[in-house]
Amino acid sequence: MKYERIRNFINGRFETIQSDRILTITSPGDGTPLAELPCSTAADLDKAVKAAKAAFPGWSKTPIKERVQVFYKYKFLLEKNLPELAALCSEENGKTMSEAVAELEKCIELTEFACSLPQLVTGETLEVSKGIECRTEHVPLGVVASIVPFNFPAMVPNWTIPNAIALGNCMIMKPSEKVPLSVGRLAALLKEAGLPDGVLNVVQGDAEIVNAICDHPGIEAVSFVGSTKIAKHVYQRATQQLKRCLALGGAKNHLLVLPDARPDMTAQNITASMSGCAGQRCMAASAMVGVGEIDHIVEKICQEARKIVAGKDLGAVINKESKQRIERYITEAEQQGAKILVDGRHTVVAGKEEGTYVGPTVIDYVKPDMAVAREEIFGPVISIMRTNTLDEAIAIENNNPYGNAASVFTQNGGAARYVIERASAGMIGVNVGVPVPREPFSFGGWNESKFGVGDITGKSSIEFWTRLKKSTIKWNPEAGVNWMS
Ligand code: NAD
């Protein structure tokens, strides 16, 4: 193994995990065995919750301006260690080095937002009647948990760690069992930045730990990012235990292309969106609906897709099962009459024969009822449908159960606005293939792409990670008493 056995990070120390269940982590890029991961048990989680609980009184009472000093230092350490962190992220996830660098740059932006929280969480005061004041303050919840997926080993953990902790909470982080390495490095950097012991605890493992988090009485709130099936499960299980929960799920993002769209820009954006991170982004373009005559744009998308070299411009998908699943979707669409214009099946990269690559795939003449049109594929595949009118295209988007993102490509402002108003998705793009709102705007979808209220990042995260305390104060005891006081 290239790295030592994965350990938990509890109360500021890396700890050996005792377990009979041991997973092997291999690099999707070339099959190199990276590390062994013993799966933690509920007892390990309990130890982490106890450490977090013990740290909470001190951390929550530390003024926020002092708390964010840790994150200023953490940002500096992310910058200083960026090449090494990006290499680890690329190695365990399979994404290209330039995608991993972009991921780490996004971690820095997320941390910058957390550093700005003292400016955003000031409460309000008002003299509500003579001599009587009402004031509000955002108070941390206590011990909170964050459960994350495999596709962004560093970024998604940084959606929650900086904000939740800067706001005064203590956290249990449960990384994906497919990519356990990056989070360990982030925890070590936070310790180096001065985060007190017990404020962040990392418990490595799989579904057993997720369920134990939902059930643990010492955990106040759970955030989850992953597939819709598990998001629903976590939302139901955690809220049944009366916890606050925000669970982000999967996606099927539609791009509506009008005939007046700029051909080069549209084709480049769509190809980059569907193939970036090997299509393993919850914001990836997955279904394209062409309105009217768009053959010239489809032709350019195919040209762009053919330029992409697997193993160089395109990373691997996470594992063999994933590669097989994606290729099954393509084959089924072909059998049902769709036309495979660019075929990424059976892609092998010379010298990396054990890597799990799927080349960019363009499928045309897809019907809305085919699985490739309806389901999340999570690979570098775009399914193209055709309609005669914009309303028909919007109906296809609206009928999909997901609602993470939707984009429209057009030069007509009125048509763009028409789509913004009617698309049933939380994040909309106009001439943008990956419409991720950057900080301070918040990230979160609609429908089956998110369960719970509010969004996970940006200003919206303040509501999730804190509760509001309302005080009514009579500063002057001589003030008269009336029905309102
Ligand atoms: P996943 O749902 O399989 O796993 C996510 C987490 O759930 C992991 O930590 C895993 O250990 C845990 N888990 C898996 N199976 C479980 C079970 N049966 N019971 C309890 N816990 C379980 O997701 P993934 O494959 O790691 O990630 C890909 C998915 O995440 C895609 O669907 C993608 O769209 C989604 N995603 C969504 C967003 C978003 O913002 N909406 C962002 C990133 C990824």
Side-chain angles (χ1 to χ4, degrees), residues 148-151 174 177 210 224-227 248-250 282 376 443:
V148 295
F150 77 81
N151 61 331
K174 208 299 274 175
E177 65 276 29
V210 172
F224 172 90
V225 182
S227 60
L248 275 62
C282 66
E376 179 174 45
F443 186 101

Side-chain angles (χ1 to χ4, degrees), residues 205-282:
D206 56 10
E208 186 178 335
I209 294 303
V210 172
N211 292 336
I213 285 173
C214 295
D215 297 345
H216 199 295
I219 295 175
E220 304 296 330
V222 178
S223 80
F224 172 90
V225 182
S227 60
T228 290
K229 182 173 164 226
I230 311 301
K232 274 186 194 170
H233 163 74
V234 167
Y235 187 79
Q236 284 169 341
R237 192 155 175 161
T239 54
Q240 197 173 21
Q241 297 300 323
L242 307 179
K243 295 186 200 313
R244 187 179 286 201
C245 184
L246 182 61
L248 275 62
K252 185 77 185 174
N253 305 313
H254 287 65
L255 306 183
L256 278 43
V257 178
L258 276 56
D260 73 333
R262 282 178 185 266
D264 289 334
M265 183 274 286
T266 301
Q268 283 158 11
N269 267 275
I270 291 178
T271 313
S273 176
M274 70 97 156
S275 65
C277 297
Q280 299 174 122
R281 287 188 286 195
C282 66

